[in-house]
Amino acid sequence: MTAPTLIFGWGNPSRGDDALGPRFVEAVETLVQRHPEWGPVDCLTDFQLQVEHALDLQGRRRVLFVDASLSAAPPFTVETIVPARDGSFTSHAMSPQAILQVYCDLEDVSPPTACLLAIRGEDFELGQPLSTAARHHLESALAWTAGWLERNHADC
Amino acid sequence: MTHELETADTAGKNLRRVAIDPVSRVEGHGKVTILLDENDKVHQVRLHIVEFRGFERFIQGRPYWEVPVMVQRLCGICPVSHHLAASKALDVVLGAERLTPAAEKLRRLMHYGQILQSHALHFFHLSSPDLLFGFDSEVGKRNIVGVAAQYPDIAKKGVLLRKYGQEVIRMTAGKRVHGTGAVPGGMNKALTRAERDALRADVYQMVAWSREAVAIIKQLHRQNPALYDGFGAFRSNFMSLVAPDGAMDLYHGALRARDADGKIIFDQVDYQRYDQVIAEEVKPWSYMKFPFLQQLGPEDGWYKVGPLARVQNCDSIPTPFAEAERRELAAHAGAGPLHATLGYHWARMIEMLFAAETIKDLLGDDDLESGDLLRGGERRKEGVGVIEAPRGTLFHHYRVEDNDLVTMANLIVSTTHNNQAMNTAVREVAKKYLDGRELTEGLLNHIEVAIRAFDPCLSCATHALGRMPLEVRLENHEGDLLDRLRKDAGGAVSRS
């Protein structure tokens, strides 16, 4: 059964703060178990955002995309995103906006409401754990997300 | 075989260096440097690849059983290939010379799922925009979003083919990401009846769509043979695994190499001895090594790997539709091998069809559900694993001490094998399309198309939002840095 809320984080867990996306999703999965009042939430992770992830949006009411970011203001930024034919056409860096656009083109319907949570990362070296700063940013982002899940609003 | 690229003496020739960065729609980023002579003709081209070699050190000191899972983090595009190549190397360390039938077939299923999804991604999402819209078309349109808008049927089939391949991986590897299905000595998970039935329900559709994909690329070749057969064409040796009977086998086999005329250089070489037939040359301007066939030496021994090499190196393909397509490609090539860079796309689609047919056959094999999944044997200190990854031959080589810790790791990835071939392809394109001292968007497009045909995995480092630092360097003939442009994490460009 597809949950109305999807939380999708991506990144390489072996590369320092690049792990913020997957680590965030792991933490949310734990929280969801303790908060049945939030209702059904699906959690997915991957290394990279890929075009077939458009299919993961089927049947959702709202989606939270989560990634590490070097340019986001610490501890994190959140924005509502809309479909866009942007320039992120490298398979390495397909944007969530482009994923939404592919969804529209494939399904011929409007996509679910989507938010992008960009958690500030500092150090992306191979084999390194999350930096101290990133751990703090992760905690802040989780606190915001708990509120978002509780409000049960689609918008961020 | 000429070798102008690397043997030319550049000293004192008053050469001007122009760098183009980035190369988009390949995995990671590359930088191309075009070196002109004093007559403004292309003298030398270098594709700089920032390959991350640190992973070999990362593995050292780890228990061997962790390695097949760890190495998946090398790459977000072909993690399964690393997972299986490492597992095969450690099979040897454990003395598991032959896996149980169930384990081997489950691994094959996982591998062909990986081939299917990777080839679908590359063709439909990365290359079809160039091929369907033209190399000179508007950049904003030349991407998968543009394909989805204009050719929604093609785009949707591409997405669903890739999705199916990912499902095969998920069901055999146990997880969608960081699967743990393969372990040294075999597999730790069988396919359930429900999983097998779910995959069988869609597999005929995947075969049919793969046949359509071959038809698309054949049609493109026929519409413009001058372009498709001539673009970035150059002669080279090629190498791949083949089965004992010379048939295509992307999971297991022995090494075979042919020269540019198609004549066999060596055949049925045990890959445990890869270092006796392949050597790796280091060049000062690149982090990547340049492998070559020892028998021919560094000047003449470089070679291509990957779909175009494999389809022409084998004697046959063991599934009927793909074999018919292989014959058609061979007939198109004529007396010798096809050396056209864009031929990679044609061969890649034949392989995708082969993968779909193989998955269909494996899903009908009852060995998949037969119990025993693990084997062992006499322990050894060293093992080599090889697999034909989507982009080409992939070697993993490990030494493991009695305390179970890895003390040495050597990986030769497909993009490394193709290093010289990619440089040569770009040089041929630059020679043809660079006019004077001005770089044009058209030239950049053509260079990107040439590199992309090889589907290189340049660097699977981080991808975090905004983290795409780019650098453009201008150097004189003595290597002095004259200028440098840097695009920072936020996308702002600065000069330093």
Side-chain angles (χ1 to χ4, degrees):
Chain A
M1 188 70 181
T2 302
T5 300
L6 171 67
I7 296 184
F8 192 111
W10 66 99
N12 187 336
S14 292
R15 287 195 173 275
D17 294 348
D18 202 38
L20 274 166
R23 289 286 295 274
F24 175 88
V25 170
E26 285 168 20
V28 169
E29 279 180 315
T30 307
L31 286 172
V32 163
Q33 289 165 13
R34 293 187 213 143
H35 293 276
E37 73 276 13
W38 291 349
V41 177
D42 281 346
C43 293
L44 293 175
T45 64
D46 213 326
F47 267 79
Q48 295 160 345
L49 205 53
Q50 297 283 354
V51 69
E52 78 273 13
H53 293 137
L55 301 178
D56 291 320
L57 308 186
Q58 290 170 332
R60 311 293 182 184
R61 187 173 67 85
R62 58 178 182 167
V63 180
L64 182 64
F65 289 103
V66 187
D67 193 11
S69 173
L70 259 177
S71 51
F76 63 88
T77 59
V78 192
E79 59 177 320
T80 301
I81 55 172
V82 294
R85 297 183 197 282
D86 61 21
S88 69
F89 48 79
T90 74
S91 68
H92 199 63
M94 197 153 180
S95 73
Q97 292 89 341
I99 295 292
L100 294 175
Q101 183 64 55
V102 172
Y103 175 87
C104 294
D105 291 331
L106 295 180
E107 304 293 326
D108 205 20
V109 294
S110 296
T113 301
C115 300
L116 174 60
L117 173 62
I119 308 174
R120 172 75 177 204
E122 306 289 346
D123 183 2
F124 293 76
E125 289 306 307
L126 181 67
Q128 295 302 307
L130 284 184
S131 66
T132 304
R135 281 201 297 273
H136 291 314
H137 301 161
L138 177 63
E139 290 303 320
S140 301
L142 285 167
W144 175 86
T145 303
W148 180 73
L149 286 166
E150 197 166 316
R151 287 194 304 275
N152 203 20
H153 289 161
D155 292 333
C156 41
Chain B
M1 186 178 302
T2 61
H3 210 77
E4 180 187 339
L5 176 66
E6 292 310 319
T7 57
D9 175 13
T10 60
K13 289 193 174 175
N14 195 26
L15 302 174
R16 188 168 70 97
R17 193 183 299 272
V18 181
I20 305 163
D21 195 359
V23 176
S24 58
R25 262 182 294 150
V26 293
E27 300 313 320
H29 285 81
K31 181 173 72 177
V32 172
T33 305
I34 301 173
L35 196 60
L36 303 177
D37 64 17
E38 47 198 5
N39 297 317
D40 286 346
K41 298 292 180 195
V42 174
H43 178 78
Q44 189 179 73
V45 169
R46 286 173 174 172
L47 171 61
H48 302 265
I49 294 178
V50 187
E51 185 192 41
F52 192 86
R53 301 289 297 179
F55 215 90
E56 290 165 343
R57 287 198 304 276
F58 185 48
I59 294 165
Q60 288 170 20
R62 300 280 183 154
Y64 73 84
W65 57 80
E66 285 185 359
V67 172
V69 175
M70 288 179 63
V71 294
Q72 294 177 87
R73 296 180 179 184
L74 271 164
C75 179
I77 298 298
C78 53
V80 170
S81 302
H82 289 292
H83 182 55
L84 291 174
S87 298
K88 288 182 73 175
L90 294 164
D91 292 343
V92 178
V93 170
L94 285 190
E97 290 186 359
R98 283 193 70 85
L99 300 184
T100 68
E104 177 166 337
K105 287 172 184 175
L106 284 163
R107 281 195 190 176
R108 283 179 177 274
L109 190 57
M110 191 192 306
H111 181 54
Y112 284 100
Q114 163 82 343
I115 295 282
L116 182 78
Q117 67 85 7
S118 179
H119 282 3
L121 173 75
H122 185 266
F123 182 72
F124 288 101
H125 308 146
L126 306 184
S127 294
S128 72
D130 298 322
L131 307 177
L132 294 173
F133 296 130
F135 304 169
D136 292 320
S137 60
E138 182 197 339
V139 172
K141 179 182 173 188
R142 212 157 27 92
N143 56 61
I144 178 57
V145 180
V147 174
Q150 192 155 338
Y151 302 97
D153 187 50
I154 289 177
K156 188 159 192 169
K157 286 171 183 171
V159 172
L160 293 174
L161 274 161
R162 177 164 159 86
K163 180 83 173 173
Y164 183 85
Q166 297 285 61
E167 281 298 282
V168 173
I169 291 168
R170 184 179 67 81
M171 291 181 188
T172 49
K175 290 167 70 180
R176 185 160 138 161
V177 185
H178 307 161
T180 54
V183 292
M187 290 283 291
N188 69 5
K189 177 191 179 302
L191 202 64
T192 67
R193 176 56 65 94
E195 288 170 332
R196 186 172 156 181
D197 289 346
L199 293 175
R200 284 171 88 163
D202 292 331
V203 73
Y204 285 92
Q205 186 65 75
M206 299 304 134
V207 172
W209 286 346
S210 298
R211 293 183 74 187
E212 289 177 19
V214 184
I216 291 172
I217 189 67
K218 275 195 305 192
Q219 187 185 2
L220 291 167
H221 271 261
R222 285 175 184 143
Q223 280 173 351
N224 196 347
L227 172 67
Y228 277 83
D229 293 343
F231 180 83
F234 60 93
R235 289 163 56 78
S236 78
N237 310 298
F238 46 101
M239 187 190 79
S240 71
L241 286 180
V242 291
D245 63 354
M248 175 175 275
D249 188 336
L250 303 181
Y251 176 75
H252 198 65
L255 299 170
R256 171 188 279 182
R258 292 184 192 266
D259 68 15
D261 294 320
K263 225 170 75 180
I264 284 182
I265 301 168
F266 57 71
D267 198 6
Q268 296 300 327
V269 171
D270 179 357
Y271 62 77
Q272 297 300 315
R273 299 192 296 114
Y274 80 97
D275 54 358
Q276 293 174 28
V277 292
I278 297 170
E280 295 178 272
E281 188 181 20
V282 176
K283 303 200 179 192
W285 56 270
S286 176
Y287 289 109
M288 280 194 90
K289 292 179 183 174
F290 286 76
F292 61 90
L293 305 176
Q294 289 193 27
Q295 196 174 323
L296 301 180
E299 291 286 312
D300 297 325
W302 56 275
Y303 52 91
K304 289 193 283 265
V305 299
L308 189 60
R310 294 187 294 231
V311 166
Q312 300 189 100
N313 206 15
C314 68
D315 299 326
S316 64
I317 297 181
T319 58
F321 292 139
E323 169 61 6
E325 297 295 350
R326 183 196 70 82
R327 287 171 187 255
E328 207 167 315
L329 185 144
H332 177 86
L338 183 66
H339 289 297
T341 291
L342 295 178
Y344 262 93
H345 299 300
W346 189 350
R348 188 171 287 116
M349 290 303 91
I350 293 173
E351 287 193 340
M352 187 171 80
L353 176 56
F354 171 51
E357 289 185 282
T358 302
I359 291 168
K360 175 182 72 65
D361 292 345
L362 284 166
L363 289 172
D365 193 322
D366 287 337
D367 277 348
L368 284 182
E369 292 180 29
S370 63
D372 190 14
L373 295 176
L374 285 170
R375 280 220 175 121
E378 188 180 342
R379 180 75 180 261
R380 297 176 196 170
K381 287 187 181 295
E382 194 163 355
V384 176
V386 68
I387 202 158
E388 284 294 341
R391 294 160 184 79
T393 318
L394 169 66
F395 289 99
H396 277 223
H397 181 183
Y398 302 107
R399 284 197 198 105
V400 181
E401 288 303 310
D402 293 336
N403 60 5
D404 291 347
L405 301 182
V406 175
T407 56
M408 187 283 292
N410 187 41
L411 277 54
I412 308 180
V413 303
S414 317
T415 300
T416 305
H417 291 294
N418 274 335
N419 198 358
Q420 183 65 69
M422 286 190 292
N423 274 278
T424 306
V426 174
R427 183 187 59 181
E428 292 306 307
V429 169
K431 271 183 174 174
K432 190 166 179 181
Y433 295 99
L434 178 66
D435 184 17
R437 300 168 69 95
E438 289 294 320
L439 293 174
T440 63
E441 190 176 329
L443 173 68
L444 301 191
N445 291 346
H446 283 75
I447 287 173
E448 287 189 334
V449 168
I451 295 170
R452 197 174 299 128
F454 289 86
D455 194 13
C457 195
L458 299 188
S459 168
C460 285
T462 59
H463 71 282
L465 289 170
R467 186 181 169 84
M468 286 292 167
L470 309 172
E471 191 173 277
V472 181
R473 295 171 65 89
L474 182 68
E475 299 174 6
N476 67 14
H477 66 281
E478 291 176 328
D480 299 327
L481 181 65
L482 301 179
D483 196 6
R484 183 172 73 161
L485 282 179
R486 186 170 175 79
K487 182 175 165 188
D488 69 18
V493 176
S494 59
R495 188 181 301 277
S496 58

